[in-house]
Amino acid sequence: MPGWPATLRRPELFKLLDHCHPGDVLLVEQVDRLSRLSVGDWDALKAAIKAKGVRVVALDLPTSHGAMRAAPPPADGEEPDPTEVILKAVNAMLLDMLAVMARKGYTDRRRRQAEDIAKARTQGLYRGRQVDQKRHENILALLDAGRTWGQVQELTGASRSTILRAVKLRAAV
């Protein structure tokens, strides 16, 4: 799948978060590597990260590098360092802004792509994604060998709709 999905269904990310401990750092190259999510999904991901006590550090967000400093937590009754509090607030605000911009860029690209496809269709130039004949042959061979759809999905990584498409194309011939 090209690019990163704009979905909260990110099993590997949540597996990583499950292994995190408070104070761990989640290092990302760019904020948009972490989020092209809708506002609601971004809020849910932020809540999951916050619940684990994980700090997000993005290479393209210089203020987040301050999270790499090992500042001891304040002792009971002691006030936290104001610089740390300010840096944390600024970093959170910038992360939110960059996440919104990543989502905007994602939706803009999708919209422009749809417009270009519609234009190409009206001109008779768009043919859509071509069938991966070799993959379909592999799917059909597995089905012919008695494998279940679930087994075919697991073995090929194909979705159920891809399997159905292969079956329907063979029936049409």
Side-chain angles (χ1 to χ4, degrees):
M1 170 183 287
W4 286 82
T7 177
L8 195 54
R9 282 179 270 128
R10 306 270 297 277
E12 293 302 315
L13 174 59
F14 283 96
K15 195 183 300 183
L16 172 72
L17 288 174
D18 284 343
H19 288 67
C20 287
H21 302 286
D24 283 352
V25 172
L26 176 58
L27 178 64
V28 295
E29 181 180 0
Q30 295 176 308
V31 174
D32 72 345
R33 301 290 94 192
L34 184 61
S35 173
R36 291 182 182 160
L37 303 171
S38 67
V39 173
D41 285 350
W42 172 243
D43 287 342
L45 179 57
K46 280 191 317 186
I49 291 169
K50 185 176 181 178
K52 291 299 282 190
V54 174
R55 298 178 187 195
V56 176
V57 174
L59 297 180
D60 66 338
L61 183 57
T63 60
S64 70
H65 304 175
M68 298 294 288
R69 288 201 320 253
D76 287 339
E78 187 178 308
E79 289 291 317
D81 177 21
T83 303
E84 291 293 320
V85 173
I86 290 169
L87 187 60
K88 187 176 180 181
V90 167
N91 191 51
M93 178 195 66
L94 289 173
L95 274 173
D96 281 343
M97 283 178 30
L98 290 171
V100 167
M101 296 306 295
R103 179 62 180 193
K104 181 183 180 328
Y106 172 79
T107 55
D108 286 349
R109 281 189 303 280
R110 299 280 306 227
R111 178 185 46 77
R112 285 191 302 265
Q113 180 184 27
E115 289 170 356
D116 289 345
I117 288 171
K119 181 179 176 183
R121 277 192 175 128
T122 62
Q123 297 171 350
L125 300 173
Y126 183 77
R127 294 182 295 163
R129 181 184 293 177
Q130 301 303 299
V131 172
D132 183 343
Q133 201 60 42
K134 188 172 185 172
R135 187 173 196 201
H136 278 207
E137 289 170 5
N138 187 25
I139 289 169
L140 294 172
L142 289 169
L143 290 172
D144 291 344
R147 301 290 184 133
T148 66
W149 280 39
Q151 290 169 330
V152 172
Q153 277 185 279
E154 192 173 310
L155 291 168
T156 64
S159 66
R160 292 184 84 74
S161 61
T162 299
I163 297 169
L164 179 61
R165 193 173 304 114
V167 170
K168 283 184 173 182
L169 284 174
R170 176 168 62 180
V173 173

